[in-house]
Structures are given as C-alpha cells and as structure tokens.
Amino acid sequence: MGSLEDCHFMSRCLHLAARGRPAPNPFVGAVIVDDKSKKIIGEGFHRKAGEPHAEVEAINDACRRLGRKRAHLLFPNSTLYVNLEPCNHFGRVPPCTKAILKAGIGRVVFAMKDPNPKVKGGGEKELKKAGVKTVFGVLRSEAREINKAFVKHAKTGMPFVTLKMAQTADGRFITRPDEPRWISGPQARLMVHRLRNQVGALVIGIGTVLADNPQLTTRLPGKEKGHDPLRVIIDPELRVPLNAKVLKDRNALVVCGQEARAGEAKKRKETLERKKKIEVWIVPDIKKRPAAQHGQLDLSAVLKHLGKCGTNHVLCEGGPSLAASFIEQKQADELMLFVASKRRGKKYPPSPSELRLSRAISKSMRTVLTQNVGNDLLVIGRQK
C-alpha cells in the first residue's frame, strides 16, 4: 500500500531508525512532511530505551526548525511517516499517539503494526478515532527485517539469534597458532563491532575463552562510543579461569551444567558468585539428543532465560562446536558467514568440529543474501 512518495519517505524513516541503539525497544525512525511543499519539516529516531520515541523527536525537531507556532500551523496539513505503529500505552515514556494528536498532525503512514499482541492495532485505532487519516503497510517487509529481533521477542518471548562465523576460501573455521589470527578483514570486523553495539547479549563457548581469552568489548572508530552487551559464556563443566578477560566486570553470565552442583565445580561457582559477583546459571542437558550432541546444554533454556531478562537479540561469536549446537538444536535464526578470499592450504585437515559445522550449515541453513564486505564475501543464511 501507499504511493511512490510514501515509499520514499518511509525509506528515510528506516535509514534514521538504524542509527539508534534502543534495545530492548524497536528501531524506529519518523519523518514529518509538509503535504503542500512535499518537504521534510522534522525528523527523528529512537536513540535509546527510556529516551523520547521517534515520533516525539520528529515533532520536536520541526518545532526547532520552524519555531513552535509555525510548526503547529503546518502540522494539520502534514504527514507523519513512521516504520512502526505509534504506541498507545504507557511505558518509560507516554504514548506517542497522545503527542501526535496534541500536535494536530493530519495524516499518519506507518509500515507495520506493533507485533505485541497485547497492543497491536491500538495506536491505529486511537488515531482513527480522533479523525487522523492512517495508511498501513508501506515497506512492511523492510520494516520487519530491521526489527526482526523485536518481532520475535514480542511474539515468543525468545531472543533472535545471529551466528557470526568466519571461514577461509577452503572451508576452514579455526586458525592455528602458526597462522594469521584473523580470517576476515578489517571491514568485516568493524561490521561485527557495529552489530555488537546493537545486540543485548554476546555468547561464546568455553573453548573460545580458553583458546583466545577475548575481551568481547565493542570497539568503534574515532570518538564513537560503543555499548558492551552482556557476555554469556557457555561452560558445561565450569572450567572458566577466574582471571579471564570476559569476567573483568559484572556484565557477564556463566552458564553451566549439573556438574556445578558438586566437587571442584561447585567451589568455582561459589567463588565466581561471591568474589567476582558473576552470575552462574545452571541449565540441564538437552533431553533428546543424537550421539554427536552428548553433553550439550539445552540452549533453548539459555535463550528463554535471556528473553525473560529483556534481551531480544543474541549474537553468538563462539567456535564451530557451539555454532553447530545452535543450528542442530534449531535455535539459530540467522547465520552471518564471512568467507575470506585466501586459502589456508592442506597443512592441517579440517577438525571434527569444523566438519560438523559444515554439515549443519548445509543441512539446515539456506542462503538469502550475499554481499561484498571489503575483500570478504558475506553470506547471510536463515533456517530452512
């Protein structure tokens, strides 16, 4: 639905929306257009949870540009474009419908309805009741894509899971001590840091902690300040070193199996909780599992726990074993696979975990998009 003109301004909304870091709230951008001149008189986006929503930012921006009196004279003959149905309920901020009606805006075009079944359609209904013209469905699929994590969490309570992996041209996922540390190039690594800046949790396995001792921080260029997501370590036998960099502060969660209820693992759990103030959470093994999955934790239980805590997007940067587990347990929504142009040669054959991940990807994931990122090829996959 909507005209080419509506699509043009909605595209601007989506561009603005992507600039925010609103998790666990949705990405939302808003544009106000004077219907006579067809010029943008105000625009904004939801910057951060707890701060004003995009619609309010756009209204305030118009008042700053034009002066409050002139802006309110133009609002009745203006269109507000927004990629998500304006909210009609109280959260951290008042309902956006109230601000729209108070401003007197005459027409509202939005891309998709709120996916939360408790509030879906409420904003549109309130606006129509007050005589505001509404148009729904402009660039709906693009709007759903940018808020895929918010949509899944709102409907299921579970976070959206993105697996990030890097692979050589000859199919290797693991670097050896005598090989270059990075498989992917600098542009790909920057892209991953920008994604870290937007997700609620970053998941790795104990193998990655022991092999690389990563910081798992968000590092952005220049003076751009990044957000460090919750660091989640999947550690079935609770072997994480107490001095690991991922445990540098309380913004971490260690997930382990039933082994942590007794012996040395129990003592380590008590030390982590008492001295390091790190939450340690015990989850069960998966109940029905093939031999290849023996001893794995139930990742759906981990994701449910994160979802209840308000996390709607999880980025997994673990090794091939953990990535394969997510795919095999059908908990991976998306795969971001950076394929490098260089080969590593036949000096080392693929490990069992690399072969297992390759089989899991081939069996369960389908390619939906490919694009060049520097010298690498990014392949986006989704569950079949």
Side-chain angles (χ1 to χ4, degrees), residues 132-296:
V132 177
K133 298 177 182 177
T134 63
V135 177
F136 156 66
V138 177
L139 300 189
R140 176 165 45 183
S141 60
E142 291 86 346
R144 286 183 64 86
E145 178 63 23
I146 195 174
N147 276 314
K148 57 195 175 188
F150 178 75
V151 170
K152 182 182 177 183
H153 187 257
K155 290 186 174 183
T156 69
M158 297 279 280
F160 187 94
V161 177
T162 298
L163 301 182
K164 171 260 166 183
M165 298 298 299
Q167 184 183 44
T168 63
D170 50 350
R172 297 284 304 286
F173 296 98
I174 299 174
T175 58
R176 308 292 175 175
D178 60 340
E179 296 176 327
R181 179 184 178 189
W182 302 108
I183 292 177
S184 55
Q187 294 93 333
R189 297 198 295 274
L190 176 59
M191 188 175 186
V192 172
H193 278 279
R194 293 200 183 282
L195 182 56
R196 285 186 184 182
N197 190 43
Q198 295 180 333
V199 302
L202 185 57
V203 178
I204 61 170
I206 183 59
T208 300
V209 175
L210 296 176
D212 301 333
N213 194 20
Q215 299 181 66
L216 296 187
T217 54
T218 299
R219 298 180 292 279
L220 300 175
K223 296 181 180 180
E224 193 174 351
K225 189 176 180 180
H227 144 82
D228 291 334
L230 174 71
R231 302 181 297 278
V232 181
I233 303 96
I234 305 297
D235 185 7
E237 299 176 1
L238 200 56
R239 297 181 292 149
V240 61
L242 298 179
N243 62 349
K245 292 179 181 178
V246 290
L247 303 181
K248 65 175 184 175
D249 56 36
R250 299 181 186 181
N251 190 35
L253 167 68
V254 180
V255 181
C256 59
Q258 301 299 319
E259 292 86 348
R261 298 188 185 278
E264 290 299 319
K266 182 179 179 181
K267 294 179 182 179
R268 184 179 292 267
K269 177 178 181 294
E270 292 171 351
T271 301
L272 284 168
E273 293 176 328
R274 185 178 67 254
K275 292 185 177 181
K276 303 285 288 185
K277 307 299 181 184
I278 300 292
E279 181 185 359
V280 179
W281 195 57
I282 300 175
V283 300
D285 285 359
I286 51 177
K287 296 177 181 179
K288 296 180 180 179
R289 56 184 183 274
Q293 297 182 20
H294 181 72
Q296 293 180 34

Side-chain angles (χ1 to χ4, degrees), residues 50-99:
E51 295 188 5
H53 287 185
E55 298 94 323
V56 175
E57 287 279 1
I59 291 170
N60 291 340
D61 182 50
C63 291
R64 285 191 294 268
R65 292 189 191 194
L66 306 173
R68 187 174 183 83
K69 185 175 181 180
R70 176 159 173 74
H72 278 264
L73 286 174
L74 291 178
F75 283 156
N77 296 306
S78 297
T79 296
L80 169 69
Y81 294 89
V82 60
N83 58 288
L84 184 68
E85 177 186 9
C87 65
N88 191 44
H89 60 281
F90 281 89
R92 294 187 186 183
V93 297
C96 292
T97 52
K98 303 298 182 186

